């Protein structure tokens, strides 16, 4: 059972913006860095955002991350059909001494 | 190109054992902590285990603690996961990934483990 809660799905038209929430607690998001991953079905996950708001090389600035207290948010602007995928948040949990992932959000464009 | 390639997945009966391998290339494997993350097809990601660059520290998810053992051989650029006392709940794709407790920036395609009688 995932410790981090995400909405099951979000959708918007091409060119629009979506935000995906990731709700945790003081033992995970509240005290550790958040990362975000994107996964097209039947492929490996890919790092999208790390350390709350940093983008790896090659990730466009249409993708942004933020954190406030025990929650984090991924934003995607200028939606493209190629952005259709599953998105997961993740963070270390100090109470569990384990890394925890979010429940996942399917983005439909 | 930084790459991780898993192997060793198979169909196994409940109670059996399996050893997964992950071979790294394109980066200095011995400089990085590594993890195993599994995913039931069509479901979410579950972190399984992690190991520091030198194997000095390991961590496990509660669901596998005492049954799975993570290890590495830096001379062979390889990561391993020994899985014992397997049950149907362990059926999943197993990915190796670079990272420990912050983020995972390189992922393998995964190897499928099916536990079924």
């Amino acid at each position: 059972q995932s410790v981090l809660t995400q909405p099951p799905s979000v959708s918007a038209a091409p060119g629009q913006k979506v935000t995906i929430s990731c709700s945790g607690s003081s033992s995970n998001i509240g005290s550790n860095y958040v990362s975000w991953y994107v996964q097209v079905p039947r492929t490996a996950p890919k790092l999208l955002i790390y350390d709350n708001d940093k983008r790896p090389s090659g990730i466009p600035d249409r993708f942004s991350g933020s954190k406030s207290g025990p929650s984090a948010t991924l934003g995607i602007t200028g939606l493209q059909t190629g952005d259709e995928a599953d998105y997961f948040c993740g963070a270390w949990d100090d109470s569990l001494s384990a890394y925890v992932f979010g429940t996942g959000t399917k983005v439909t464009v | 190109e930084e790459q991780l390639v898993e192997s060793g997945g198979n169909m196994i009966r409940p109670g059996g054992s399996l050893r997964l391998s992950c071979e790294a290339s394109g980066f200095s494997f011995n400089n990085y902590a590594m993890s195993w993350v599994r995913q039931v097809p069509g479901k979410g990601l579950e972190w399984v285990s992690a190991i520091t660059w030198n194997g000095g520290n390991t961590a496990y998810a509660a669901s596998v603690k005492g049954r799975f053992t993570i290890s590495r051989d830096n001379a062979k650029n390889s990561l391993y996961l020994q899985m014992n006392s397997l049950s149907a709940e362990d059926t999943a794709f197993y990915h190796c990934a670079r990272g420990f407790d912050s983020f995972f920036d390189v992922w393998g395609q995964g190897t499928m483990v099916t536990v079924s009688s």
Side-chain angles (χ1 to χ4, degrees), chain A residues 48-74:
Chain A
L48 206 56
I49 297 288
Y50 69 99
D51 290 358
N52 301 332
D53 57 9
K54 297 180 176 58
R55 290 185 308 277
S57 173
I59 301 299
D61 58 7
R62 300 188 297 107
F63 296 89
S64 64
S66 65
K67 187 181 95 166
S68 178
S71 296
T73 302
L74 174 71

Side-chain angles (χ1 to χ4, degrees), chain B residues 85-106:
Chain B
S85 302
L86 286 162
S87 69
E89 288 67 39
D90 298 313
T91 294
F93 269 103
Y94 284 73
H95 299 274
C96 63
R98 190 171 77 178
F100 190 118
D101 58 359
S102 183
F103 58 87
F104 307 105
D105 61 346
V106 181

Side-chain angles (χ1 to χ4, degrees), chain A residues 2 33 35 37 39 42-47 50-51 88 90-92 97-103, chain B residues 37 39 43-47 50 59-62 95 100-110:
Chain A
S2 298
Y33 285 122
S35 54
Y37 305 87
Q39 185 181 32
R42 293 176 294 282
T43 68
K46 176 182 176 181
L47 180 65
Y50 69 99
D51 290 358
F88 298 91
W92 183 261
S97 292
Y99 196 90
V100 292
F101 287 100
T103 48
Chain B
V37 177
Q39 183 174 33
K43 301 297 184 182
L45 301 171
E46 181 188 11
W47 174 85
Y60 298 91
H95 299 274
F100 190 118
D101 58 359
S102 183
F103 58 87
F104 307 105
D105 61 346
V106 181
W107 292 72
Q109 288 296 323

Side-chain angles (χ1 to χ4, degrees), chain A residues 9-14 18 79-80 83-85 87 105-109:
Chain A
S9 63
V10 297
S11 63
V18 294
L79 269 174
Q80 302 174 1
D83 295 331
E84 285 201 337
Y87 293 77
T105 299
K106 182 177 181 59
V107 170
T108 302
V109 181

